[in-house]
Amino acid sequence: MAPETLTPERILEATEEVLRRYGPAKATVVDVARALGVSHGSVYRHFRTKAALREAVTARWLDRTSQELSVIVTEEGPAPERLERWLTALFEAKRHKAGDDPELFATYMTLIGEAGGVVDRHITDLEAQLTTLIEAGVSQGAFHTPSPATTARAVFDATGRFHDPCYAAEWSRPEITDDFDAVRRLVLRGLRS
């Protein structure tokens, strides 16, 4: 049986498992190579440095959320309903990442601190998605704002408690869903006025 071709995706999957097992402080490129059954030089052919590998695995993790949300943005239908689903999906995605795999979430929190550019690109992407939804609402006559991009940034900031990882400890509180619903309703009312 021929060995599987070493691809960046396989390396990123293995890196995620190694990070889960050892944590960011102890995980090495040698550990990733060992998990793949290759030399560490083979890993470096795809990712020139350990930092580049860690940045790529962080980007992959953040991109999963962006891709899920982009489906809502591209759907047809009333913008207020799509915006409501988008905000809810963002909150749920972040909450599940923190609650379903706390060890890996803690690891990514460390990696995010190292990969500021990756985080900035993620935030820019999410704000662009919000802008698109708000522009659609303006076109449909449902939302009223002179600057959808400025409003999108404001909505993103106003809902930060429900998607910014620094608030992750709050996401398991029983009343967090009610708090989120209140903010979501307030945002949608504000966009409609």
Side-chain angles (χ1 to χ4, degrees):
M1 180 178 211
E4 285 186 69
T5 303
L6 188 62
T7 63
E9 186 61 25
R10 278 193 62 222
I11 294 169
L12 293 175
E13 287 171 8
T15 302
E16 198 168 278
E17 286 306 312
V18 167
L19 286 166
R20 183 180 283 116
R21 188 176 313 133
Y22 300 116
K26 295 182 181 178
T28 67
V29 175
V30 172
D31 294 325
V32 173
R34 190 177 303 122
L36 290 163
V38 300
S39 72
H40 66 281
S42 297
V43 174
Y44 281 125
R45 279 193 272 290
H46 292 275
F47 298 96
R48 297 188 56 78
T49 65
K50 179 180 178 180
L53 176 59
R54 289 163 73 107
E55 186 173 302
V57 80
T58 303
R60 178 178 183 254
W61 188 66
L62 293 171
D63 288 347
R64 287 181 192 137
T65 300
S66 294
Q67 291 165 359
E68 290 172 22
L69 295 170
S70 70
V71 171
I72 297 169
V73 174
T74 59
E75 290 175 352
E76 297 292 323
E81 291 173 16
R82 289 187 294 143
L83 177 58
E84 187 170 4
R85 281 198 334 263
W86 190 94
L87 292 170
T88 302
L90 176 61
F91 175 43
E92 290 302 319
K94 299 290 182 158
R95 187 160 65 163
H96 283 295
K97 284 184 179 194
D100 295 350
D101 197 346
E103 296 82 12
L104 193 58
F105 185 78
T107 294
Y108 278 110
M109 291 304 298
T110 300
L111 295 180
I112 283 171
E114 300 171 0
V118 170
V119 174
D120 292 343
R121 285 189 297 275
H122 177 65
I123 290 170
T124 298
D125 179 52
L126 294 180
E127 287 179 353
Q129 290 184 23
L130 270 173
T131 300
T132 299
L133 287 169
I134 292 169
E135 286 170 342
V138 170
S139 294
Q140 294 170 0
F143 296 154
H144 305 284
T145 178
S147 174
T150 300
T151 301
R153 277 192 299 283
V155 168
F156 191 76
D157 291 343
T159 58
R161 180 174 168 220
F162 308 103
H163 58 76
D164 187 325
C166 73
Y167 294 101
E170 295 184 24
W171 298 342
S172 59
R173 291 182 24 248
E175 63 273 11
I176 197 68
T177 301
D178 291 339
D179 294 349
F180 170 73
D181 288 340
V183 170
R184 186 192 59 203
R185 285 191 303 269
L186 179 67
V187 164
L188 287 164
R189 269 196 313 271
L191 286 168
R192 287 180 170 126
S193 55

